[in-house]
Amino acid sequence: MSAAPLAHERRPTFYFLDHIKSFSPVFLDTEVDMTAVRQHRADAQAEGQHYSLVSYVVHAAGRVLAQHPEANAAIRGNFAPKVAKFTGVAGKVTFDKTVNGRRVVLSTVLPDVHEAAQADIQRQIEFIRDGDPETMPQLAKIRALRKLPVPLGRLAFRTGIRGLAKRPQLVGTFAVTSLGHSAVDSFHSVGGTTVTLGVGRMSDRPVVRDGAVTIAPMMRLSLAFDHRVIDGAEAADVLTDLKTRLEEIGSHIPEPATTEDTAPEDTAPEDTAPEASAAEDVPAAP
């Protein structure tokens, strides 16, 4: 047996996990028929545009949460708790990165995903996925945080995310984390937001349609919600609406054109996550 101090690279994750101890998570899950998504991906690929599964989930969740303001919220305080409902929807996405030879989880916040084009969402995901965590300006605060002594680092982290006004910019109003590149069908994670979505792998499975068994691409989708903010009925409506939107992707109103290139918001530490696959380009997830 050997023991050593916690690596500096893992300190932000340690602070994050300490922060979410106050959460009261409840877990739901469903299965999504990804036939429409698979066709949409193939059509986009034929035109030279790649979309990861996570970009579909972020894009759909942004629209759904805009219709569920009770879930697009955050809470602060124990003795005099306050709940803030946000007008915009910001999605946090986790990534597995290697820093000084150690695998760590970082995240980026994608702003205004309730109105962003999917191509813009995909571009921002790729920006962080392919960037160098040791040089990217979006990770400067995390690099500074891991250099602090643990007591100061914990204090700095808590102070930084204490206020409700900055929560959307720092941790998003919902989180998405994926293990879809691995042999993982379903999992649950608490991402520091009222709603956290867990994306499993997409695989062909037997399903029943019109009384007959057929094969369809299916994906497990989980939702963890903070019971302090919303109840199960509201969370179930969010998950159901998200499932419907993904399964009916071709029937939605065309989205706006892509915007000018902009970098994502500053990234923040997240819980745990393995590495994204080149095949799916899915960010890692706890």
Side-chain angles (χ1 to χ4, degrees), residues 86-92 107-112 141 160-161 163-173 264-268:
F86 304 110
T87 54
V89 184
K92 183 179 74 172
S107 64
T108 190
V109 174
L110 312 182
D112 300 321
K141 293 179 181 178
I161 63 172
L164 290 172
K166 293 185 177 180
R167 291 279 183 90
Q169 293 77 29
L170 295 176
V171 298
T173 64
E265 301 286 344
D266 287 356
T267 54

Side-chain angles (χ1 to χ4, degrees), residues 3-89:
L6 181 68
H8 287 217
E9 294 78 12
R10 294 204 56 79
R11 287 181 178 179
T13 298
F14 177 76
Y15 305 145
F16 170 80
L17 293 173
D18 185 55
H19 160 66
I20 64 171
K21 288 178 181 178
S22 62
F23 278 57
S24 297
V26 179
F27 306 101
L28 308 176
D29 70 86
T30 189
E31 199 166 42
V32 182
D33 186 334
M34 300 290 280
T35 300
V37 168
R38 175 177 282 181
Q39 184 60 54
H40 188 274
R41 290 183 84 189
D43 293 343
Q45 190 70 47
E47 297 179 0
Q49 173 66 59
H50 170 76
Y51 289 127
S52 66
L53 294 184
V54 167
S55 75
Y56 283 96
V57 175
V58 172
H59 181 266
R63 271 67 178 174
V64 168
L65 283 171
Q67 299 172 354
H68 291 271
E70 297 291 332
N72 193 53
I75 192 171
R76 175 194 173 190
N78 292 317
F79 298 106
K82 294 182 179 180
V83 174
K85 298 177 184 178
F86 304 110
T87 54
V89 184

